Structure formats: structure tokens, C-alpha cells
Amino acid sequence: MKKAKLIFKVGLLAFITIFFLTACQSGKSSSTGSSSSNETTLQKIKKSGVLTVGSSNDAPFAYIDNKTKKFSGVDADIIKEIAKRMGVKKVEMKQVPFENLIVELNKGSIDMVTDAMYIRKDRLQKAAFTDVWYKEGEAVVIPKSSSVKSVADLSNKVIGAQKGTAFLDIAEKWKKEGKVKDVQIFGKQTDLMLAVNTGKVAACVTDGIVANYTLSKDPSLDLKILTPYKAEETGKIGAAVRSSDKSLLKEVNKQLNAMKKDGTLKKILTKYNLDDSYFVDVKDGITENIK
């Protein structure tokens, strides 16, 4: 009987010990998970040493250079300098179609959008934007042999624009106003320019910086920029972050504005032949986020 009681007590003690250890391990696991989930995006970026940004891979803003295989461009240089000042060693680019950039941002697959994105009211409903990086406007691209001398000459012609851009909005507005016959939509900047070059469309409305860069780099394109032409939409460019990522937004703005004050941002713009007309100072570059 005593032996049976002893065996029972030993078994009970073993059970209690196992239960206690299991509970402790479970508690540690839960605590660790909670701690990890409570980390901000900024903390995770600094911990990993990697900032992942989204871009549609359009030169000269944020793209992978075919020769060097490096993340290059105006926006790329700006965010790499910001990351460096934040103590983040590496910036990785994930290629995403332009119209899906904010969608992917809010899914959590990227930390920021850095692709010459205009800061607009509709976008501010979906994400938060940094202070202004720089400003620019649209251009109209036509064949060198075109008889088009002004926008007025496009009234009976089909023009093109890229999906998801502010320039498509301009083209659609022109269609409503009867300034153009119709608008064809293209998914990529390269396809858009090729369409003008092959006569598929009579002209296209696109980013002025991209147009200048593309025409200077690709001699196979028998195209030119329509002049004189006054841009209807002078856009302010910034990077987008999730609305909940307040600390990341604050840190990026801190480093961006320091770059404006010490002349670093102007040097980057100058590298890409962008003069002072593209620069926006700290005071005029404040973004009023909705959320």
C-alpha cells in the first residue's frame, strides 16, 4: 500500500513538474510573440538592416540598372541617403506595377513606395506621404515628323497614357473636354513610348522627367517633346508609407529635411540634370496627411 502511495506521489510530482515547465515555455513563447508583434516597422527595419521599397522599375526614378544591377535613379538615391542616415545598411527594391504600389504597401510586402508618386488627395486616403522630395510636371511626346504644334491639334487624334498615373487623369480630362478623340491606356512607360514611335497613337501624356531621360538614352525613338507647352499638373513628389507607420514617417522626414538644409538633396537633383525649379524647401514641402 505504502509502495503504491509512493508511486502515486512520484507520478503526481512528475506531472506537476511537466505541466509547470510546459506552462512556462508557453508563456515565454506568447510573450516573445507579443513583443515581436508590438515592434514598429521602423524598429524592424533598423533591426534587420534592410528597407524594402516598391517601384515599377521606371528610369530615371527608381529602377534596377541593367549594367550594374544596382538600385538607381533620383528616388533611389534619395531613399538610399535617407536610409544611410537612419543607420540602415541596405535598400532593396521590389518591382510592382505602378497602379498596385499602394495596394502592396498596405498588404505589408513593402515598407515604402518610392517611385516619383504624386502626393494627391485620393492617395492620402489610402496611405501617408512624406514631405515633398521635389516637384515636376507632365510633357506631351509626339513623333519628330508630327504636324502637331499644340494641344489644339490633337482634337481628332488618339493619344496614350500610363495606367495609374496622374497623366492618365489629364488625358481622360482632355477626352471629356473634346481636346482629343480618344485615350489608349498602357501598363508600362516603355510600351507607351513605343506606341507613339510606331504610330499606334498620335501622342502621349507622360512624366516630363521620364520623357527627357528616355529620349536622351534611346536613339531608336524618333520622338520629341511638344513645345511650347505649359504643364497643367505640377505635381509634388513624395514617398508613401502605411498610415499606421508614424515613427517611420517621422524619421524619414527628419532625414529628408536635413538633406534639404545641408544641400545634399540639391546635389542629387543636379546629378539628374534637375535644376532649382524642381527643388522644394522645408517650409513649402510639408505634407498634411489625412490619417
Side-chain angles (χ1 to χ4, degrees):
M1 188 69 178
K2 287 182 179 180
K3 187 176 180 181
K5 285 183 178 181
L6 180 61
I7 293 172
F8 174 78
K9 287 180 179 179
V10 171
L12 180 61
L13 180 61
F15 173 80
I16 292 171
T17 302
I18 293 169
F19 178 81
F20 178 78
L21 289 173
T22 303
C24 286
Q25 287 174 350
S26 175
K28 284 181 181 178
S29 175
S30 175
S31 175
T32 302
S34 175
S35 175
S36 176
S37 64
N38 286 335
E39 278 188 329
T40 65
T41 299
L42 178 60
Q43 288 172 330
K44 290 175 183 177
I45 291 168
K46 288 192 173 185
K47 188 175 180 179
S48 68
V50 179
L51 172 65
T52 304
V53 301
S55 169
S56 58
N57 203 33
D58 279 338
F61 300 113
Y63 65 101
I64 302 300
D65 188 285
N66 288 329
K67 293 181 180 178
T68 65
K69 306 302 179 185
K70 291 182 178 180
F71 183 40
S72 308
V74 187
D75 290 54
D77 284 3
I78 293 172
I79 193 57
K80 284 191 291 185
E81 178 63 25
I82 288 173
K84 179 182 175 183
R85 294 181 181 216
M86 287 168 51
V88 178
K89 295 180 179 180
K90 188 176 182 181
V91 178
E92 290 184 347
M93 190 201 90
K94 180 177 180 180
Q95 186 171 345
V96 178
F98 192 88
E99 67 272 19
N100 293 336
L101 282 167
I102 291 181
V103 173
E104 288 301 314
L105 174 69
N106 288 322
K107 279 183 179 179
S109 64
I110 54 178
D111 301 316
M112 296 177 66
V113 171
T114 56
D115 191 14
M117 187 168 277
Y118 278 27
I119 302 170
R120 303 190 322 197
K121 288 182 179 179
D122 60 323
R123 289 173 179 159
L124 288 170
Q125 297 285 348
K126 303 171 185 174
F129 276 78
T130 63
D131 288 341
V132 180
W133 287 18
Y134 54 89
K135 63 182 179 180
E136 60 141 357
E138 83 277 3
V140 177
V141 178
I142 57 175
K144 286 180 179 178
S145 59
S146 176
S147 60
V148 173
K149 303 296 181 185
S150 69
V151 174
D153 296 328
L154 295 170
S155 60
N156 64 341
K157 300 184 184 298
V158 178
I159 67 170
Q162 186 180 354
K163 186 178 181 180
T165 66
F167 316 115
L168 175 58
D169 295 341
I170 293 171
E172 295 286 9
K173 181 171 75 74
W174 286 356
K175 180 181 176 181
K176 289 179 182 178
E177 295 172 348
K179 291 181 178 179
V180 300
K181 183 180 179 180
D182 201 5
V183 177
Q184 284 196 19
I185 302 171
F186 297 85
K188 296 180 180 179
Q189 175 72 17
T190 50
D191 293 341
L192 178 63
M193 300 295 269
L194 185 61
V196 183
N197 200 54
T198 57
K200 190 174 182 179
V201 293
C204 73
V205 187
T206 188
D207 186 288
I209 296 177
V210 172
N212 275 293
Y213 176 84
T214 304
L215 297 184
S216 68
K217 294 291 184 180
D218 190 347
S220 69
L221 295 174
D222 196 27
L223 305 173
K224 64 180 181 180
I225 293 175
L226 177 65
T227 55
Y229 173 77
K230 185 178 180 180
E232 289 188 12
E233 175 123 1
T234 302
K236 292 183 176 180
I237 306 299
V241 302
R242 285 178 288 278
S243 298
S244 59
D245 285 338
K246 308 292 185 185
S247 58
L248 176 60
L249 180 65
K250 184 178 180 180
E251 181 67 15
V252 170
N253 280 339
K254 176 185 174 182
Q255 304 305 337
L256 171 68
N257 289 326
M259 289 165 60
K260 289 184 178 184
K261 291 175 182 177
D262 66 23
T264 304
L265 185 60
K266 277 193 175 183
K267 286 181 181 178
I268 293 174
L269 296 179
T270 300
K271 176 183 174 181
Y272 294 91
N273 297 316
L274 305 179
D275 60 27
D276 284 354
S277 65
Y278 292 87
F279 180 76
V280 179
D281 63 25
V282 175
K283 183 181 177 181
D284 294 332
I286 297 172
T287 298
E288 297 291 341
N289 283 292
I290 297 172
K291 298 181 179 179

